[in-house]
Amino acid sequence: MTILLSTLNARYAHASLGLRYLLANMGPLGPDTRIQEFVIGAKTTEVVERLLAQHPRIIGFGVYIWNVEETTRIVAMLKRVAPEVTIVLGGPEVSYETNEQAIVKLADYVVTGWGDLTFAQLCTEILQGPQPLMKVHAGVQPPMAQVALPYSLYSDEDIAHRTLYVEASRGCPFKCEFCLSSLDKTAWPFPLEAFLAQMEALHARGARLFKFVDRTFNLNVKTSMKIMQFFFDKLEANPEDPVYAHFELVPDHLPEALKEMIARFPAGALQFEIGIQSFNPEVQALVSRRQDNAKAADNIRWLCEHSQAHLHVDLIAGLPGEDIASFARGFDQLVGLGAHEIQFGILKRLRGTPIIRHTEPYHMVYDPYPPYTVLATSLIDFPTMQRLVRFARYWDLVANSGRFAYTTPELLGVRPFENFMAFSDWIYTKLDATHRIALDRLAKLVAEWLQVTGMERERALGLVASDYAGGIDSPAKKERAAAVAAPARQVRHLAA
């Protein structure tokens, strides 16, 4: 073997789409190229041993914010025990602020940006000459039709056990300064018929769970309609063998034709990830985010009331110019709209993003280590930011998990943010931890908190018991889960 493509995924269920694009576009080097994926947390020596067992001449690593520290250790060890192996880096983490990074100093070459075709060309030069003179190679963005689609490279095991990431387009026309896509000039679609043919082939092989990574799936409504029609046709042809599709939606762009299509899908077939990030117009303007808040709210409300799609809506805490009161108002508004999950994230300073321009004016203090989370701003001090971090974790365990469907409304009351923050502060005093919390321990503490806030003991215990009775392992939910292709967490949010 000559070339290995490798990365450390966040978990086993995440199959790397980027590596498969590289392999699909290796051209004459394709037969000599293999993919070898790992999961973060793997022992460095074992990863290095498994890589070298393939006797590679070149190893290309996909480097991301979640794996850069571990990948750095792997590259450092490879350079000590096998200095003859050429190391090439790519991925978003090394595509910006490149030369200052420790992992870049260790490696032989770096491909920044689009690596689909550039990586293969670089490997050809390394193997056949003339040897590349430059360490950093800017990836060439080809016409989309020239990029070979990688979906045939998902293995049967991938299809059976992992999330299949797909994309009908790349890029984004919006300029939100906290996002790497803000550096794109527009969105670039792949040829639709070729893409749908690949989806057809995946479905024929047994794929049923498709996660679209397009930043702006509903930007071109005609294309969106054709893709959704593809999945609806599969459902209609064989309702006993359902499919599940995840899309990222622009929240204020939902025309009637798309609404009509969405309304036709049964429960457990669609998930929409909707980025709100902030409902504060001044904060939105500050970070160059264009959003019609009234339309966005109306569309989320419509989706909750008139569709059976599962809604996952994003908010970001720690944006420049946003204080706790402003964030709380946005959070309460989203709770009132009825979204199934509110993904409460803390701002991260991704390398290359324009958010850095606000560092001095708003006293933005970031963790110097990945994932570069904001630690404090001019309006939110460090202790308060830590309370928000804990809030986000407990919110995920209690509300987003779907395990406390009956109890969560009682926890939130008429002041959701204020009440859940009080619960978060209290439960932290009991646990002194935010991870590795047993479900039965969490349930007991939820019931105890309800009593602390004035609920009668029998009612509190009864609420939590009803959540257990209606949980994912209950007969009713097992029957419902068997009828859909959705992941277990989404199934928990389906009506009992």
Side-chain angles (χ1 to χ4, degrees):
M1 184 184 296
T2 302
I3 303 166
L4 270 182
L5 299 170
S6 189
T7 195
L8 281 78
N9 297 315
R11 50 180 68 115
Y12 169 76
H14 298 176
S16 173
L17 180 59
L19 295 190
R20 286 161 177 80
Y21 265 112
L22 293 178
L23 179 53
N25 288 276
M26 289 301 288
L29 295 177
D32 296 317
T33 307
R34 299 288 184 275
I35 289 175
Q36 192 165 16
E37 296 174 273
F38 301 92
V39 178
I40 56 173
K43 193 173 181 180
T44 301
T45 51
E46 293 178 0
V47 172
V48 170
E49 181 181 20
R50 289 177 60 189
L51 289 169
L52 293 180
Q54 305 298 321
H55 306 291
R57 172 68 179 83
I58 299 170
I59 304 178
F61 285 102
V63 188
Y64 301 86
I65 195 170
W66 64 80
N67 71 14
V68 60
E69 291 185 308
E70 293 185 32
T71 307
T72 301
R73 292 196 292 270
I74 291 167
V75 172
M77 187 173 291
L78 281 167
K79 279 304 179 184
R80 285 177 177 252
V81 301
E84 72 280 3
V85 176
T86 300
I87 304 296
V88 182
L89 308 177
E93 180 65 9
V94 294
S95 289
Y96 305 93
E97 304 171 23
T98 303
N99 290 321
E100 66 188 58
Q101 298 183 52
I103 192 171
V104 171
K105 294 173 184 176
L106 290 165
D108 297 290
Y109 301 103
V110 181
V111 176
T112 63
W114 294 50
D116 305 272
L117 303 188
T118 303
F119 177 75
Q121 178 61 38
L122 177 60
C123 289
T124 300
E125 294 173 7
I126 293 169
L127 295 171
Q128 301 174 13
Q131 290 298 301
L133 298 177
M134 304 296 292
K135 181 170 187 171
V136 179
H137 297 255
V140 175
Q141 179 179 338
M144 301 303 284
Q146 292 182 18
V147 178
L149 298 178
Y151 303 109
S152 64
L153 297 174
Y154 281 125
S155 68
D156 291 343
E157 184 175 339
D158 294 334
I159 290 172
H161 302 293
R162 307 175 82 181
T163 299
L164 302 188
Y165 293 94
V166 301
E167 57 179 2
S169 65
R170 289 185 186 174
C172 181
F174 302 110
K175 302 300 176 186
C176 309
E177 296 179 14
F178 47 79
C179 179
L180 269 176
S181 295
S182 64
L183 304 177
D184 298 329
K185 295 179 180 179
T186 185
W188 302 276
F190 286 96
L192 183 58
E193 295 309 314
F195 172 77
L196 289 177
Q198 294 272 325
M199 297 303 99
E200 182 69 49
L202 276 178
H203 185 272
R205 293 176 59 202
R208 296 296 182 267
L209 195 156
F210 299 79
K211 185 166 185 178
F212 282 72
V213 296
D214 304 54
R215 289 294 188 186
T216 52
F217 173 75
N218 58 325
L219 189 66
N220 184 322
V221 174
K222 289 183 179 179
T223 298
S224 305
M225 294 281 288
K226 289 181 180 178
I227 292 172
M228 295 191 76
Q229 186 69 53
F230 169 86
F231 288 105
F232 186 80
D233 289 345
K234 299 301 179 190
L235 285 162
E236 194 171 46
N238 195 349
E240 302 304 316
D241 186 19
V243 295
Y244 174 85
H246 168 114
F247 303 105
E248 292 191 28
L249 292 190
V250 179
D252 54 4
H253 186 58
L254 203 64
E256 289 302 317
L258 194 53
K259 286 182 178 179
E260 291 175 10
M261 173 62 76
I262 291 168
R264 298 167 68 190
F265 279 78
L270 291 178
Q271 172 165 298
F272 293 134
E273 184 168 346
I274 300 173
I276 291 295
Q277 319 311 0
S278 174
F279 270 124
N280 185 323
E282 295 179 359
V283 174
Q284 290 170 338
L286 200 61
V287 297
S288 307
R289 181 171 179 81
R290 303 198 312 268
Q291 179 172 286
D292 186 321
N293 287 336
K295 279 188 178 180
D298 286 345
N299 288 338
I300 292 171
R301 187 181 296 107
W302 183 91
L303 288 166
C304 290
E305 294 176 354
H306 300 285
S307 85
Q308 299 188 76
H310 182 270
L311 300 192
H312 177 125
V313 186
D314 298 336
L315 281 180
I316 297 178
L319 290 169
E322 183 141 64
D323 59 15
I324 288 290
S326 169
F327 183 83
R329 287 192 296 272
F331 183 89
D332 288 352
Q333 184 174 353
L334 269 188
V335 170
L337 293 175
H340 303 94
E341 296 187 38
I342 299 173
Q343 185 62 45
F344 178 172
I346 309 297
L347 177 67
K348 298 171 179 60
R349 191 197 77 78
L350 304 181
R351 291 185 184 274
T353 54
I355 196 77
I356 195 172
R357 74 186 182 94
H358 300 293
T359 299
E360 291 186 12
Y362 290 90
H363 308 294
M364 311 291 288
V365 179
Y366 296 98
D367 189 332
Y369 301 103
Y372 316 116
T373 307
V374 69
L375 301 174
T377 74
S378 59
L379 298 175
I380 302 177
D381 61 19
F382 176 69
T384 305
M385 196 71 76
Q386 291 308 106
R387 291 176 66 206
L388 289 172
V389 170
R390 292 191 288 272
F391 182 118
R393 175 58 182 163
Y394 294 133
W395 178 260
D396 205 47
L397 289 174
V398 175
N400 283 347
S401 71
R403 296 185 185 277
F404 296 90
Y406 297 105
T407 308
T408 298
E410 298 292 337
L411 282 173
L412 301 183
V414 297
R415 296 183 298 276
F417 181 87
E418 180 183 332
N419 290 339
F420 200 87
M421 179 63 89
F423 167 71
S424 174
D425 290 341
W426 175 84
I427 197 172
Y428 185 65
T429 67
K430 298 290 185 179
L431 294 171
D432 194 29
T434 57
H435 290 77
R436 297 181 180 177
I437 303 168
L439 180 58
D440 58 346
R441 173 68 169 148
L442 180 62
K444 288 177 182 177
L445 287 170
V446 169
E448 184 180 341
W449 172 253
L450 291 173
Q451 295 169 67
V452 168
T453 56
M455 185 178 290
E456 292 181 359
R457 181 176 183 275
E458 292 304 316
R459 182 164 179 251
L461 294 175
L463 270 174
V464 175
S466 65
D467 279 320
Y468 263 76
I472 189 62
D473 296 322
S474 69
K477 282 293 177 72
K478 280 184 176 179
E479 183 178 348
R480 192 62 176 271
V484 299
R489 178 161 166 148
Q490 281 74 5
V491 173
R492 295 189 198 112
H493 289 277
L494 296 176

